Amino acid sequence: MDGPSSPIAPSGRADAGVGTPWLDADEQRAWRAYVRMQGLLAARLNRELQLESGLSLADYDVLVQLTDTPEARLRPFELQHELQWEQSRLSHHLARMRRRGLVEREECSEDGRGAFVVLTEKGRQAITAAAPGHVGVVRRFFFDGLTREEVAMLERLTTRILDRLSDADAETQGDVG
Amino acid sequence: MDGPSSPIAPSGRADAGVGTPWLDADEQRAWRAYVRMQGLLAARLNRELQLESGLSLADYDVLVQLTDTPEARLRPFELQHELQWEQSRLSHHLARMRRRGLVEREECSEDGRGAFVVLTEKGRQAITAAAPGHVGVVRRFFFDGLTREEVAMLERLTTRILDRLSDADAETQGDVG
DNA sequence: GCGGAATAGATGATGCGTCATGTACGTTGA
DNA sequence: TCAACGTACATGACGCATCATCTATTCCGC
């Protein structure tokens, strides 16, 4: 739970000649601010959530996905797709959550390899108890500081970056040029 | 290296009555996009940096701070202030970097408790080799997707959130409020 | 049907981040 | 001058994330 790098280039490099892709002064400042913001924000959200409910952000995300599903159960690979997590991260995390009684494992008759992750009553109570506080923290630290135009722009902007990241993944996978 | 939570509220809660601080639909979308973006971006930056140079983002940040200083050495608490890291995280991380030969420890004559963290030649070579590629990745995935206005707005916006986070810290510390 | 590939998921090793706690040194004030 | 307090830093335990690797099953072409 930390974040991308801060000052980006060593020894005050900024706006160097063509060929080297350094950032200019505006970009440097923006990058530093972004990086620091996301690091502190994530740390704060994690800490508050942990203190108030004993859940980590990762737990929270998994539980939300499960409650958003009719039967409160999902195949791990579906969960993986929703959360965009690495497979082994999910596997390890589900194992830990199972140990804590937040979810259960259920065999899958249709596919002998697979399984279902099922929300337990304890899991449901945990997410129900945690959600209002967590949303409140997000609102207090994030949205209360932004105008509606900024929120809209933020969505456009982050979505665009997201597309670039996905495109790069697709290229690496599918061997397109 | 992951990120804040994704869908924020369980079971499609959005725009509920007053009292409960749920997010409305716009905020939900913006939050989801932001969270996913920062998670994937951080993962990507970390992975590329690791592959190309064997450094983590955390290593990179420490090394940049050191190279930005005249004597390439800093007191841990200075580093801590620059990076905004928890003290024990820094301590652990410096220990690991020392084991790998990226930094050295030097006793501090002025303050018997303290020490200096000194950049080694190996550390300098590592950061020098890593920087262009890393900056390139940041540019490719992030800044190339943004207009200058967006960069400017992003800086304003993140700086504002940052202030809110700092204010909250100050309140918790100094018992104001 | 069978052999090879793809898919679903688990696991061990290792580095990282946080919390709680410990230790040593400095500072301050009665 | 010395006790109380604050500061600088280290450490152990533990949960988390990633990488490499492993197993079991299904799919697909022949």
Side-chain angles (χ1 to χ4, degrees), chain A:
Chain A
M1 208 74 39
D2 111 81
S5 154
S6 249
I8 215 38
S11 308
R13 301 294 288 271
D15 209 284
V18 187
T20 45
W22 302 112
L23 304 181
D24 65 32
D26 289 350
E27 291 168 330
Q28 288 249 14
R29 285 200 318 281
W31 183 248
R32 291 177 66 118
Y34 162 72
V35 166
R36 185 156 299 188
M37 187 273 285
Q38 88 71 218
L40 290 180
L41 180 61
R44 162 77 56 165
L45 292 179
N46 222 329
R47 199 154 54 82
E48 301 263 358
L49 184 59
Q50 190 75 49
L51 280 178
E52 296 205 0
S53 66
L55 297 177
S56 66
L57 284 174
D59 297 332
Y60 189 93
D61 285 354
V62 169
L63 293 175
V64 166
Q65 292 297 333
L66 286 174
T67 56
D68 269 351
T69 226
E71 284 295 319
R73 61 178 214 169
L74 283 170
R75 297 286 299 275
F77 76 92
E78 297 176 297
L79 216 37
Q80 183 188 348
H81 184 256
E82 297 293 332
L83 297 172
Q84 302 262 67
W85 284 6
E86 298 215 352
Q87 183 268 320
S88 91
R89 173 185 179 185
L90 180 61
S91 189
H92 280 299
H93 201 89
L94 290 176
R96 288 188 295 257
M97 291 181 74
R98 203 171 334 132
R99 266 178 245 134
R100 292 194 286 150
L102 297 171
V103 299
E104 274 173 359
R105 192 190 160 81
E106 189 178 299
E107 293 311 308
C108 178
S109 49
E110 311 141 30
D111 188 334
R113 299 164 292 184
F116 281 103
V117 191
V118 192
L119 186 64
T120 63
E121 186 49 34
K122 182 175 177 187
R124 188 179 294 278
Q125 287 178 6
I127 185 67
T128 303
H134 178 58
V135 175
V137 176
V138 171
R139 169 164 292 301
R140 202 159 64 252
F141 288 113
F142 197 71
F143 287 105
D144 282 355
L146 304 179
T147 66
R148 296 203 65 82
E149 293 76 36
E150 286 171 329
V151 172
M153 166 161 265
L154 185 72
E155 192 208 335
R156 285 200 302 279
L157 183 155
T158 50
T159 302
R160 206 178 318 140
I161 306 286
L162 218 34
D163 288 344
R164 298 176 73 85
L165 289 162
S166 303
D167 288 353
D169 275 349
E171 279 177 27
T172 311
Q173 280 294 321
D175 188 40
V176 184

Side-chain angles (χ1 to χ4, degrees), chain B residues 64-139:
Chain B
V64 165
Q65 293 296 336
L66 286 174
T67 55
D68 268 350
T69 227
E71 283 296 318
R73 62 179 213 169
L74 283 170
R75 298 287 299 274
F77 76 91
E78 298 176 299
L79 217 36
Q80 184 188 349
H81 184 255
E82 297 292 332
L83 297 173
Q84 302 261 70
W85 284 6
E86 299 214 351
Q87 184 268 320
S88 90
R89 173 184 180 184
L90 181 61
S91 190
H92 281 300
H93 202 88
L94 289 176
R96 289 187 293 258
M97 290 181 74
R98 201 169 340 128
R99 264 178 248 133
R100 293 194 285 147
L102 296 171
V103 298
E104 272 172 0
R105 191 188 160 81
E106 189 178 299
E107 293 311 308
C108 177
S109 49
E110 310 139 31
D111 188 334
R113 301 166 290 183
F116 282 104
V117 191
V118 193
L119 186 64
T120 63
E121 185 50 34
K122 183 176 175 186
R124 187 179 293 279
Q125 287 178 5
I127 186 64
T128 303
H134 178 57
V135 175
V137 175
V138 171
R139 169 163 292 302

Side-chain angles (χ1 to χ4, degrees), chain B:
Chain B
M1 210 68 47
D2 113 82
S5 153
S6 249
I8 214 41
S11 308
R13 300 294 288 271
D15 210 282
V18 187
T20 46
W22 301 112
L23 305 182
D24 66 32
D26 288 351
E27 291 168 331
Q28 287 248 15
R29 286 200 317 280
W31 183 249
R32 291 176 65 118
Y34 163 71
V35 166
R36 184 155 300 188
M37 188 273 286
Q38 88 72 216
L40 289 181
L41 181 60
R44 162 75 57 163
L45 292 179
N46 221 328
R47 200 155 52 81
E48 301 261 357
L49 185 59
Q50 190 75 49
L51 280 178
E52 297 205 0
S53 65
L55 297 177
S56 68
L57 284 173
D59 298 332
Y60 189 93
D61 286 354
V62 170
L63 293 176
V64 165
Q65 293 296 336
L66 286 174
T67 55
D68 268 350
T69 227
E71 283 296 318
R73 62 179 213 169
L74 283 170
R75 298 287 299 274
F77 76 91
E78 298 176 299
L79 217 36
Q80 184 188 349
H81 184 255
E82 297 292 332
L83 297 173
Q84 302 261 70
W85 284 6
E86 299 214 351
Q87 184 268 320
S88 90
R89 173 184 180 184
L90 181 61
S91 190
H92 281 300
H93 202 88
L94 289 176
R96 289 187 293 258
M97 290 181 74
R98 201 169 340 128
R99 264 178 248 133
R100 293 194 285 147
L102 296 171
V103 298
E104 272 172 0
R105 191 188 160 81
E106 189 178 299
E107 293 311 308
C108 177
S109 49
E110 310 139 31
D111 188 334
R113 301 166 290 183
F116 282 104
V117 191
V118 193
L119 186 64
T120 63
E121 185 50 34
K122 183 176 175 186
R124 187 179 293 279
Q125 287 178 5
I127 186 64
T128 303
H134 178 57
V135 175
V137 175
V138 171
R139 169 163 292 302
R140 200 157 66 251
F141 288 113
F142 196 72
F143 287 105
D144 282 356
L146 304 179
T147 66
R148 294 202 68 81
E149 292 76 37
E150 285 172 331
V151 171
M153 166 162 266
L154 185 73
E155 191 208 336
R156 286 200 302 280
L157 183 155
T158 50
T159 302
R160 206 177 320 139
I161 305 286
L162 218 34
D163 287 343
R164 297 176 73 86
L165 289 162
S166 303
D167 288 353
D169 274 350
E171 279 177 29
T172 312
Q173 280 294 320
D175 188 41
V176 186

